Amino acid sequence: MIRWISGIGLGFLFLAYILLSPAFVFNFGLITIFVIALYELIKLRVLSLQSFLSFIFLVTAILCLYFYELERFLILIAVLISVTTDAFAFFAGKAFGRNKIFPGISPNKTLEGTIGGIVASVLINTLLVILIFQSSLKTFDSFLLILIMLISAAASVFGDLLISSVKRQANLKDTGNLIPGHGGLLDRIDSHLLCIPVFFFLFEALQ
């Protein structure tokens, strides 16, 4: 129960942070997130390609959020892609999951859950952009919009797997205990680390 309560509370907090915070608060938040996530990554004491890539993607994601601070709705969409992919992968995995895809890295991740999460994320976020969000993504035609959502959602899965791989190398379940029921901050933003840079790269590349 505490996992759900803290998760919902955290969701509303980040929604307010993304949409309502003044620029200096937003940028201070980015610094805080970076410092805490970097501390958790260093504390794992893992020297590997995966930990190095985690650092690179963490820096890149934070820089993307900094440079796109004036386009908060784009940031919200990028974050929602990761969130919805993760959430619906969990529910689809529980309902239909049979085939493990990376049992040595993430034992609970299944092919069915992953596909379900990606498909649901693409549909939901494409519809949100078309029907609700007043964002620069409306300038893309439907095919390119779906392509951006699809690749970004897939990237969020690999971001999750990347941090899971580092945790396995450290023989730890979580990167910390900052968030009750969830573990460390890095446990919560793992899927964002790759999704956010990929999303904004595609946004720029396909314009």
Side-chain angles (χ1 to χ4, degrees):
M1 178 61 72
I2 192 170
R3 179 181 176 88
W4 287 101
I5 293 173
S6 62
I8 293 171
L10 201 62
F12 280 110
L13 177 64
F14 271 95
L15 186 64
Y17 166 68
I18 292 172
L19 295 180
L20 302 177
S21 63
F24 76 93
V25 173
F26 183 85
N27 291 327
F28 179 77
L30 292 183
I31 295 171
T32 304
I33 291 170
F34 175 74
V35 170
I36 295 174
L38 181 60
Y39 168 74
E40 291 181 351
L41 185 61
I42 292 173
K43 193 176 64 171
L44 295 176
R45 297 182 180 178
V46 173
L47 293 176
S48 66
L49 175 61
Q50 291 94 322
S51 62
F52 175 72
L53 289 175
S54 298
F55 170 73
I56 294 298
F57 290 136
L58 172 62
V59 172
T60 306
I62 293 294
L63 288 175
C64 285
L65 297 180
Y66 172 75
F67 287 121
Y68 282 91
E69 185 270 325
L70 293 178
E71 298 189 69
R72 300 285 185 94
F73 278 108
L74 286 180
I75 292 175
L76 179 60
I77 294 164
V79 170
L80 282 176
I81 292 171
S82 297
V83 170
T84 51
T85 301
D86 187 49
F88 281 92
F90 173 80
F91 290 118
K94 286 289 186 182
F96 309 108
R98 298 291 182 274
N99 300 291
K100 308 288 186 180
I101 49 176
F102 297 102
I105 300 176
S106 186
N108 295 324
K109 197 173 294 297
T110 64
L111 178 62
E112 295 82 1
T114 301
I115 292 174
I118 291 174
V119 170
S121 180
V122 171
L123 291 175
I124 290 170
N125 290 293
T126 299
L127 287 174
L128 285 175
V129 169
I130 294 173
L131 300 177
I132 300 175
F133 289 140
Q134 299 294 324
S135 76
S136 302
L137 284 175
K138 283 195 171 183
T139 61
F140 291 91
D141 63 40
S142 297
F143 173 78
L144 288 180
L145 183 58
I146 291 172
L147 183 64
I148 290 172
M149 299 296 178
L150 178 62
I151 297 175
S152 300
S156 75
V157 175
F158 284 100
D160 185 348
L161 288 170
L162 180 63
I163 298 300
S164 293
S165 176
V166 178
K167 289 189 291 186
R168 294 296 172 268
Q169 292 172 343
N171 293 315
L172 293 172
K173 182 178 182 294
D174 298 317
T175 61
N177 55 10
L178 179 66
I179 306 171
H182 291 269
L185 177 64
L186 201 53
D187 291 306
R188 287 300 85 212
I189 66 171
D190 51 6
S191 59
H192 302 309
L193 296 188
L194 190 52
C195 178
I196 288 173
V198 167
F199 173 83
F200 283 109
F201 170 79
L202 292 173
F203 174 75
E204 292 294 342
L206 296 178
Q207 286 192 89

